[in-house]
Amino acid sequence: MLLEREKLGSTGVGEGVAIPHGKLPGVSGLLAAFGRSSKGIDFDAIDKRPAQLFFVLFAPENSAGIHLKALARISRLFKSAQFRKAILEAPDRNAVYRLIADEDAKY
């Protein structure tokens, strides 16, 4: 499903961030996962830079609102260069989680 979505256009939003997403049958609510790559992965992003920070979203087939709100929220979180740098330098997953939770609480 994610590969099919990428064929429609890259979900690499630039600045080293990608938000692969799509609607998945059988999912009852929004599912999300986060990952990072120190080397980066070519994601055919708008700015042609490799993506290092990934938020993957799966939404129920019949949902539009929650899906779009989540995409907007993630985009807003990762606009800050300082925040992206902190995520890349975080020593472990607990630190990454705390950074994301703290930043999200600001909104």
Side-chain angles (χ1 to χ4, degrees):
M1 182 268 310
L2 292 177
L3 293 175
E4 289 300 314
R5 169 57 187 88
E6 288 300 313
K7 288 178 185 176
L8 298 174
S10 175
T11 56
V13 296
E15 300 295 331
V17 178
I19 312 171
H21 60 278
K23 295 182 180 180
L24 195 61
V27 173
S28 61
L30 187 67
L31 300 175
F34 176 78
R36 66 182 178 177
S37 166
S38 57
K39 291 190 305 181
I41 297 170
D42 180 9
F43 231 79
D44 196 25
I46 297 167
D47 61 2
K48 303 299 182 200
R49 290 178 46 197
Q52 293 180 280
L53 305 171
F54 303 87
F55 242 108
V56 181
L57 292 175
F58 297 104
E61 277 187 303
N62 59 355
S63 69
I66 192 168
H67 184 228
L68 296 175
K69 285 180 185 179
L71 287 170
R73 196 169 190 164
I74 292 166
S75 294
R76 187 173 50 242
L77 284 174
F78 285 90
K79 279 189 181 207
S80 164
Q82 183 179 4
F83 177 69
R84 292 189 308 270
K85 184 176 187 273
I87 292 287
L88 286 170
E89 294 174 352
D92 57 38
R93 64 182 174 198
N94 292 328
V96 168
Y97 178 83
R98 280 192 306 277
L99 285 165
I100 293 171
D102 290 348
E103 189 72 12
D104 187 47
K106 294 177 184 177
Y107 296 101

